[in-house]
Amino acid sequence: MELCLHQTQPSQENISFPLFCMLKRSFSYVLQRFGNRDSDPFIPSLGMSNKELEKMLSFFSISMDDSQGGSLGTYLECYEEHKMLVEFFLRYRNRQGDMSLWIAHLLATASLGENHLWQDMGLKNRDELGSVLRAFFFPLFEANKEDMRWKRFFYRKLCEEEGLFVCKAPNCKDCLDRPICYGPE
């Protein structure tokens, strides 16, 4: 059983204590996984400004190693994609405020990883990811009616918004890649 050592009930945006603990664990994991000099991709500070990063670290009582600098060139290679993902998530948030902004950066950063999104966020399973999406990005959560894997769903939705259709068949049910996009993770 994981213990979250935050002494008081979280106050910002009225999130539950279990959700607070899950997010704290995820932010800590993603900052370490994608924010150190050996990361691939390298996303310093989850792509947030220093001011936003400091507010988030303070809220979650997370300390960060100052020596996590990496290659700016590596970051610049994925900067536009990361920015596009953050903007995408912010369009679908159901709560305004700092928390949804921070989580948009968290999701965008983890979306650039190579594993399932819940794994790249340091979560225990896909259900935990669903809890985050349900609480902060409900329109996206609800739109994934066929339970497509989250990264694929996000990128597909982004492409559809841009008028680009990447499905190899007229619809997903006819596509040969269906087992890759749907099914157990």
Side-chain angles (χ1 to χ4, degrees):
M1 177 181 205
E2 182 177 315
L3 180 63
C4 185
L5 300 176
H6 196 269
Q7 296 298 321
T8 60
Q9 187 74 349
S11 59
Q12 186 182 38
E13 304 186 41
N14 197 20
I15 63 170
S16 71
F17 191 67
L19 184 57
F20 171 86
C21 292
M22 184 184 348
L23 287 169
K24 178 177 180 169
R25 177 172 29 97
S26 184
F27 277 112
S28 296
Y29 176 85
V30 173
L31 282 165
Q32 178 60 40
R33 165 67 181 84
F34 297 100
N36 71 60
R37 68 179 48 84
D38 298 322
S39 301
D40 184 26
F42 168 62
I43 310 292
S45 307
L46 306 176
M48 289 191 284
S49 69
N50 287 339
K51 180 180 176 182
E52 282 304 320
L53 178 67
E54 288 301 320
K55 285 189 336 189
M56 186 274 296
L57 293 172
S58 175
F59 178 76
F60 286 105
S61 300
I62 297 172
S63 60
M64 198 168 104
D65 183 1
D66 289 337
S67 65
Q68 291 186 340
S71 166
L72 192 57
T74 306
Y75 173 56
L76 293 176
E77 290 175 14
C78 60
Y79 173 77
E80 286 301 322
E81 182 177 354
H82 187 268
K83 181 180 169 188
M84 179 180 63
L85 285 164
V86 170
E87 291 169 357
F88 169 76
F89 290 120
L90 291 177
R91 284 194 300 273
Y92 288 96
R93 64 183 168 175
N94 52 295
R95 297 180 184 206
Q96 297 297 313
D98 292 337
M99 187 72 70
S100 60
L101 173 68
W102 302 337
I103 297 171
H105 280 270
L106 176 75
L107 288 166
T109 301
S111 290
L112 297 174
E114 296 177 357
N115 300 309
H116 294 296
L117 184 55
W118 63 269
Q119 293 170 323
D120 283 328
M121 289 179 67
L123 299 174
K124 292 178 184 174
N125 54 47
R126 193 168 193 257
D127 290 338
E128 285 191 339
L129 173 58
S131 297
V132 172
L133 294 171
R134 188 179 310 111
F136 292 94
F137 303 92
F138 188 75
L140 278 177
F141 177 82
E142 190 175 55
N144 191 1
K145 295 187 184 312
E146 293 188 50
D147 204 26
M148 182 182 270
R149 293 180 184 158
W150 285 111
K151 283 184 191 178
R152 291 187 181 276
F153 177 75
F154 297 150
Y155 278 93
R156 181 175 180 176
K157 191 136 181 76
L158 258 172
C159 288
E160 287 174 357
E161 287 179 4
E162 296 295 319
L164 305 170
F165 295 94
V166 293
C167 194
K168 295 178 182 179
N171 63 59
C172 286
K173 288 177 178 40
D174 297 330
C175 182
L176 295 176
D177 284 345
R178 184 170 176 78
I180 296 169
C181 298
Y182 298 92
E185 293 188 52

